Amino acid sequence: MARDLMAKRATLEQRSRRLTLIVVGVLVFAGAVAIAASAVTVWMEQGTLDHWLLLTTFTAERLLPLLGAGLLLGQMPLCRWPIAAALLVAGIATGLPWHDELMQLLAPLPGAPTHFFLVGPLACLLAGLLLVLPPSLRFWPSLLVMPVMGAALALAVDFSDPTFHDRAYLPWALVTTVWVLLAAGLVAGLFTASWTVIASRVFGSWLLAIGALYGGAYMASKQTELVPPPFVQPSVIGGNFPGFDPILKSFERWGPRRRTLQDGREG
């Protein structure tokens, strides 16, 4: 009787896991199509991706901790990963409205104000700290670490805005962040061999090393506040429009200048 009950429970858990992987796979595919369509649209309109909203999202400093968090969620038991995922999302949702308070907490760290308040190295350290643990010991520490890592990722999203507060950036960046988490979790859920656990722990040690190296290098600068560049007094330029003559000449290089009243008097 007990064996039959355990077999039914295992079968139910396997079906639930398969269904979860299918749903996550559909979401990852839809997200990949949307991200690719956004990049293609920008490329067709501008001929470059230099002004793409998600350009700063796909950087190593942003992707590494996201991949680590995705691996953590994907390797957790099905009954536990929703709790860890909810804590991570709660940390992200808390970090955005409370970013000023979090910046004040991180500001005393050496080099923090000049290096995005060290949120990138901090997220790498937190993700690596959980990944190096055996899978059976990851859940309970994650209850404390996941909200902090979510807040660090939220600050990283906010600091990586390449625009002047474009309203479309934050929704796109948050959706892409969730997409990276789901994609990494999907890969971790599909490959369940024993070597994947070893590989994830190795990746966690790399994250620890990367976070410590970059964080230590930033803090070694010992610069605790932003220093404005020295103001250079511009030289006096003669002409009808002092100070603007070089700019006007650069305009004339690219096309005819509109006729002015002074031009009419001179003619």
Side-chain angles (χ1 to χ4, degrees):
M1 186 70 177
R3 291 182 179 179
D4 294 339
L5 183 60
M6 292 179 61
K8 290 181 180 179
R9 183 178 299 176
T11 303
L12 181 60
E13 184 176 354
Q14 187 176 5
R15 290 179 178 176
S16 300
R17 185 179 184 84
R18 187 183 300 113
L19 179 61
T20 302
L21 291 176
I22 293 174
V23 173
V24 173
V26 172
L27 293 176
V28 169
F29 178 77
V33 172
I35 293 172
S38 173
V40 171
T41 302
V42 173
W43 178 269
M44 293 179 63
E45 291 179 352
Q46 304 179 9
T48 179
L49 293 179
D50 292 342
H51 304 289
W52 187 33
L53 290 178
L54 301 179
L55 184 64
T56 56
T57 304
F58 293 99
T59 57
E61 191 172 7
R62 290 283 307 280
L63 289 178
L64 287 176
L66 288 176
L67 293 176
L71 291 178
L72 282 170
L73 297 177
Q75 291 183 347
M76 281 187 179
L78 185 62
C79 59
R80 290 183 173 181
W81 77 261
I83 301 176
L87 291 174
L88 183 65
V89 173
I92 294 175
T94 304
L96 290 174
W98 290 81
H99 65 280
D100 291 338
E101 289 75 10
L102 295 175
M103 287 164 56
Q104 291 179 1
L105 291 176
L106 297 173
L109 295 176
T114 55
H115 294 93
F116 286 171
F117 292 86
L118 304 178
V119 291
L122 178 62
C124 286
L125 288 173
L126 294 176
L129 179 64
L130 292 178
L131 277 177
V132 296
L133 297 175
S136 58
L137 301 178
R138 293 175 182 172
F139 176 69
W140 297 110
S142 69
L143 299 181
L144 297 176
V145 175
M146 281 294 187
V148 182
M149 184 165 59
L153 293 175
L155 289 179
V157 170
D158 193 15
F159 293 153
S160 301
D161 188 355
T163 68
F164 290 101
H165 301 287
D166 190 335
R167 294 182 179 180
Y169 166 75
L170 190 59
W172 263 110
L174 291 177
V175 170
T176 306
T177 297
V178 175
W179 177 81
V180 175
L181 289 171
L182 292 178
L186 178 64
V187 173
L190 290 176
F191 298 97
T192 56
S194 57
W195 65 266
T196 58
V197 176
I198 300 175
S200 66
R201 298 184 69 180
V202 171
F203 182 66
S205 65
W206 289 353
L207 288 180
L208 284 176
I210 292 171
L213 287 174
Y214 277 94
Y218 294 156
M219 295 177 68
S221 63
K222 297 181 180 180
Q223 187 174 356
T224 58
E225 59 183 5
L226 294 175
V227 179
F231 179 77
V232 179
Q233 183 70 26
S235 59
V236 179
I237 303 176
N240 296 323
F241 303 97
F244 289 93
D245 285 345
I247 301 177
L248 296 176
K249 291 180 181 179
S250 66
F251 289 161
E252 291 177 356
R253 249 183 298 158
W254 297 102
R257 183 165 56 92
R258 188 175 60 181
R259 187 176 178 85
T260 63
L261 292 176
Q262 185 174 358
D263 295 335
R265 293 172 183 175
E266 293 176 355

Short mmCIF file of all heavy atoms in Angstrom, two decimals, residues 16 56 110 133 185:
data_model
loop_
_atom_site.label_atom_id
_atom_site.label_comp_id
_atom_site.label_asym_id
_atom_site.label_seq_id
_atom_site.Cartn_x
_atom_site.Cartn_y
_atom_site.Cartn_z
N SER A 16 3.54 16.79 -13.12
CA SER A 16 3.51 18.22 -12.81
C SER A 16 4.79 18.90 -13.29
O SER A 16 4.75 20.02 -13.83
CB SER A 16 3.34 18.43 -11.30
OG SER A 16 2.14 17.85 -10.85
N THR A 56 21.98 47.10 -22.72
CA THR A 56 22.70 46.93 -21.46
C THR A 56 22.22 45.72 -20.66
O THR A 56 22.89 45.31 -19.71
CB THR A 56 22.54 48.18 -20.59
OG1 THR A 56 21.13 48.45 -20.39
CG2 THR A 56 23.16 49.39 -21.28
N PRO A 110 33.46 51.56 -0.16
CA PRO A 110 34.44 52.23 -1.03
C PRO A 110 34.17 51.93 -2.50
O PRO A 110 34.00 50.78 -2.90
CB PRO A 110 35.78 51.62 -0.58
CG PRO A 110 35.54 51.12 0.80
CD PRO A 110 34.10 50.69 0.83
N LEU A 133 26.43 25.39 -2.62
CA LEU A 133 25.88 24.47 -1.64
C LEU A 133 25.28 23.24 -2.33
O LEU A 133 24.84 23.32 -3.47
CB LEU A 133 24.79 25.16 -0.81
CG LEU A 133 25.22 26.35 0.05
CD1 LEU A 133 24.00 26.98 0.71
CD2 LEU A 133 26.23 25.91 1.10
N GLY A 185 16.33 28.48 -15.90
CA GLY A 185 15.61 27.45 -15.14
C GLY A 185 15.11 26.32 -16.02
O GLY A 185 15.10 25.16 -15.60
#
